[in-house]
Amino acid sequence: MADIQQLQLLLEGVNGWNQWRNTHPDAPIALQNAMLNVANLRHANLSKANLEGADLYHANLIEANVQYANLTKASLNGAIATGLLSYADLSDANLYSAIFTVADLSYVNLQRANAIGANFNSANLQGANLQNINASHAIFWQTNLKDTDLRNAILWGAKLYCANLERSQLQNTDFSGADLSGANLRDADLSGADLRDANLSRANLEGANLHGICWSKNVSGRDTNWNNVIGLMAAQNVPTALLP
């Protein structure tokens, strides 16, 4: 359960909360299962806080510091979190339609999270663990996903325009219907990935592993867009049908 005194202090205002944290830098923050829905937590220092199972529905976390925080199974539906979230644990969290634009999510744990319709536009997710995430229809425009683990992730219909996926692990990832136009997939492992109806126009596949990819027509009869793909002949395990 949450520490009632800490929760009350936080709800009274971020300025007083941050001052208290500055004078008690080593105090453990116990906010698990806290009701913080629609709370104004802008600029709040929540680093290393235990927010497991907390309700942050539509919370304002703009420029908040949530580094190293425990947000496992927390609900951030519709929340705006555009600050520091690096190394935070968001495994099994509900992030439906949450906004993470330009946020620092480097090395965050997003395993099994529900991020349907979430907005990661221009965010930094380098080195993050997104295994088994459901990010269908999510937005990753120009997002840094370098060295991320997206194995078995669901990204169908996602917008990954000009995203950086260099050296990412994309084994068995579902990219069906996704927009990967202009994406950097250099040296990424796409083995077993579903690319049916995906848009790979101008994507860079140099050094990528394409072993066992699914790229033929989907159930609606739409095919993968390979127009102007860069580095296809320098990729590994290119399907014979795609060779000139």
Side-chain angles (χ1 to χ4, degrees):
M1 296 293 293
D3 183 307
I4 301 302
Q5 291 181 329
Q6 290 183 0
L7 178 58
Q8 183 176 351
L9 179 62
L10 179 59
L11 291 174
E12 286 174 355
V14 168
N15 289 338
W17 171 263
N18 285 346
Q19 289 174 10
W20 178 81
R21 289 220 64 186
N22 287 337
T23 56
H24 300 82
D26 299 321
I29 308 302
L31 294 170
Q32 54 267 47
N33 301 307
M35 295 297 293
L36 293 163
N37 51 305
V38 202
N40 183 7
L41 302 173
R42 184 172 186 144
H43 298 295
N45 179 3
L46 293 165
S47 61
K48 301 181 181 179
N50 185 354
L51 286 151
E52 181 179 359
D55 184 353
L56 290 152
Y57 171 84
H58 280 271
N60 180 354
L61 288 157
I62 295 173
E63 298 302 321
N65 181 355
V66 199
Q67 291 178 301
Y68 295 96
N70 178 8
L71 286 149
T72 57
K73 299 181 180 179
S75 175
L76 285 87
N77 291 6
I80 305 176
T82 58
L84 299 173
L85 293 98
S86 54
Y87 296 96
D89 188 349
L90 286 148
S91 56
D92 299 296
N94 197 337
L95 314 174
Y96 178 79
S97 295
I99 298 173
F100 298 98
T101 53
V102 305
D104 182 359
L105 290 149
S106 54
Y107 304 99
V108 74
N109 183 2
L110 285 161
Q111 290 188 82
R112 301 175 302 279
N114 171 16
I116 296 173
N119 190 338
F120 296 93
N121 185 18
S122 300
N124 178 17
L125 281 152
Q126 181 167 344
N129 186 346
L130 289 85
Q131 285 187 69
N132 297 289
I133 192 174
N134 186 347
S136 54
H137 296 292
I139 299 172
F140 295 92
W141 288 333
Q142 298 179 319
T143 301
N144 181 11
L145 291 155
K146 187 175 181 180
D147 297 313
T148 55
D149 189 343
L150 278 152
R151 286 176 291 175
N152 303 300
I154 300 173
L155 290 162
W156 60 267
K159 310 300 181 185
L160 293 128
Y161 169 76
C162 288
N164 183 5
L165 289 147
E166 186 174 0
R167 293 196 304 272
S168 290
Q169 298 181 57
L170 307 172
Q171 297 97 311
N172 303 309
T173 301
D174 185 355
F175 285 113
S176 56
D179 181 8
L180 287 154
S181 57
N184 178 11
L185 291 156
R186 290 187 62 182
D187 299 316
D189 190 345
L190 284 147
S191 54
D194 189 344
L195 296 167
R196 289 176 296 179
D197 191 31
N199 182 5
L200 288 158
S201 175
R202 295 174 289 104
N204 188 344
L205 291 167
E206 185 178 350
N209 182 5
L210 304 181
H211 176 74
I213 60 169
C214 185
W215 58 275
S216 58
K217 296 183 186 297
N218 66 4
V219 292
S220 301
R222 292 190 293 269
D223 212 339
T224 309
N225 182 0
W226 297 96
N227 292 336
N228 302 310
V229 168
I230 300 167
L232 183 60
M233 295 304 102
Q236 305 173 47
N237 302 304
V238 181
T240 304
L242 292 175
L243 295 173

